[in-house]
């Protein structure tokens, strides 16, 4: 989205407070695992981003650091 993450998450927090809780709340363009977790904590329900698919296509995978499943 271009702005610093602090500004982005401030807007996500404001938006999710203004949107109805009984409807899905969608965030586009966020795909890094830590950002997904932060956005879910702010009330986002749906995501759409090319990053996870693109990294998988080039042979990368995300997994837990401790190796557990």
């Amino acid at each position: 989205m271009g702005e610093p993450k602090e500004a982005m998450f401030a807007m996500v927090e404001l938006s999710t407070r203004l949107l109805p809780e009984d409807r899905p709340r969608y965030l586009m363009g966020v795909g890094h695992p830590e950002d997904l977790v932060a956005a879910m904590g702010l009330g986002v329900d749906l995501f759409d981003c090319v990053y996870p698919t693109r990294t998988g296509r080039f042979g990368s995978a995300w997994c837990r650091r401790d190796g557990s499943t």
Side-chain angles (χ1 to χ4, degrees):
M1 294 178 7
E3 59 276 328
K5 286 189 182 190
E6 297 80 24
M8 177 188 71
F9 284 120
M11 290 297 104
V12 170
E13 182 177 19
L14 173 64
S15 299
T16 54
R17 277 194 281 132
L18 295 173
L19 293 169
E21 290 186 27
D22 64 336
R23 302 293 176 121
R25 292 175 278 184
Y26 169 77
L27 183 60
M28 185 173 162
V30 174
H32 289 268
E34 63 274 6
D35 297 340
L36 295 171
V37 171
M40 284 186 279
L42 295 172
V44 176
D45 303 299
L46 301 167
F47 299 90
D48 181 15
C49 183
V50 300
Y51 181 72
T53 303
R54 186 175 291 152
T55 57
R57 187 179 315 129
F58 292 106
S60 295
W62 296 327
C63 58
R64 293 181 184 209
R65 289 189 179 149
D66 63 7
S68 64
T69 56

